[in-house]
């Protein structure tokens, strides 16, 4: 069952989304060569707590941190570590969730560390653009897989591949609600979109093949060919008009 949110619930999720969005926007100035992935987690957690919110990821199925920090061939769920130092030319995906009054917002971005290759920049740009292609179909009356198909079309037309094993999701009182939202598939399938649905849409796009595996720590997902991966996610409300992005504010 897809839970529809009331205006009051969306108002709470908007507050949560503002903090998540603010963190992601501040991270672009914080991420630089020499910091560790743990430094990113500390930065994220401090801002969530300062805003009297709860880090949604910490303790989720035993996850040990407030952010997922995934470097280069790491796709998602990288565990922050003081030993993992970022170097010039790396790319780093940061995924953040904040819970406010029981409601979760969830978003992710991929950042350059110093100067990066043109190929890495293209991957980041295409991943972000694929999200916005999907967003065009976030309208009442469309079918869920119209979003999926649009994301896949963009990423593959740019020469990249779409991760199959991890998908977007409904979001609200729980971080993961129905429906699952694959970033690939044929259009015209699945439930019709309705006002009050809230989705975390999150393309994970690979430079090489789409195959991934989970490391020994049982969390970190990596590409099997060790090529780069990028991630872009926002929490999106379906409305009678344009979709509302709860995690994309210019928060300064
Ligand atoms: N943002 C991730 C998702 O969309 C959640 C992180 S998994 C956690 O599924 F375990 F770290 F919380
Ligand atoms: Co998510």
């Amino acid at each position: 069952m897809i839970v529809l949110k009331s205006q009051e619930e969306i108002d709470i999720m908007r507050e949560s989304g503002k903090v998540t969005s603010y963190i992601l926007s501040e991270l672009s100035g914080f991420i630089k060569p020499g910091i560790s992935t743990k430094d990113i987690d500390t930065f994220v957690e401090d801002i969530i707590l300062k805003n009297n919110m709860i880090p949604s990821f910490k303790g989720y199925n035993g996850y040990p941190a407030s952010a997922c920090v995934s470097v280069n061939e790491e796709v998602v769920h990288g565990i922050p570590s003081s030993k993992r130092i970022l170097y010039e030319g790396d790319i780093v995906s940061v995924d953040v969730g904040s819970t406010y009054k029981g409601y979760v917002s969830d978003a992710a971005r991929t950042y350059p560390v110093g100067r990066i290759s043109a190929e890495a920049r293209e991957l980041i740009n295409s991943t972000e653009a694929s999200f916005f292609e999907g967003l065009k179909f976030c309208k009442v009356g469309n079918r869920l897989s119209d979003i999926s198909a649009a994301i896949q079309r963009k990423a593959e037309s740019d020469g990249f591949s779409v991760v199959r094993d991890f998908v977007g999701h409904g979001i609200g009182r729980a971080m993961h609600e129905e429906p699952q939202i694959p970033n690939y598939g044929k259009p015209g399938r699945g439930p019709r979109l309705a006002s009050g649905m809230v989705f975390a849409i999150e393309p994970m796009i690979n430079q090489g093949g789409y195959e991934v595996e989970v490391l020994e720590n049982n969390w970190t997902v990596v590409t099997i060919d060790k090529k780069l991966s990028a991630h872009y996610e926002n929490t999106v409300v379906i409305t009678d008009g344009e979709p509302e992005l709860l995690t994309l504010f210019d928060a300064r």
Side-chain angles (χ1 to χ4, degrees), residues 106 169 200 202 233:
D106 182 6
H169 48 94
E202 50 176 321
E233 175 178 30

Side-chain angles (χ1 to χ4, degrees), residues 166-223:
F166 295 84
V167 298
H169 48 94
I171 184 167
R173 282 202 168 273
M175 180 158 59
H176 295 133
E177 296 185 352
E178 285 182 41
Q180 297 203 103
I181 309 172
N183 298 300
Y184 61 93
K186 291 195 171 68
R189 313 255 168 113
R192 287 198 190 277
L193 305 187
S195 181
M197 290 180 177
V198 185
F199 298 150
I201 299 173
E202 50 176 321
M204 289 148 270
I205 306 297
N206 293 351
Q207 195 175 39
Y210 64 73
E211 300 90 349
V212 300
E213 64 185 359
V214 180
L215 296 183
E216 302 270 273
N217 66 18
N218 281 322
W219 278 107
T220 312
V221 177
V222 297
T223 57

Side-chain angles (χ1 to χ4, degrees), residues 5-13 103:
K5 276 78 187 178
S6 68
Q7 209 45 246
E8 291 70 27
E9 291 176 294
I10 291 167
D11 290 344
I12 295 170
M13 293 187 77
Y103 290 84

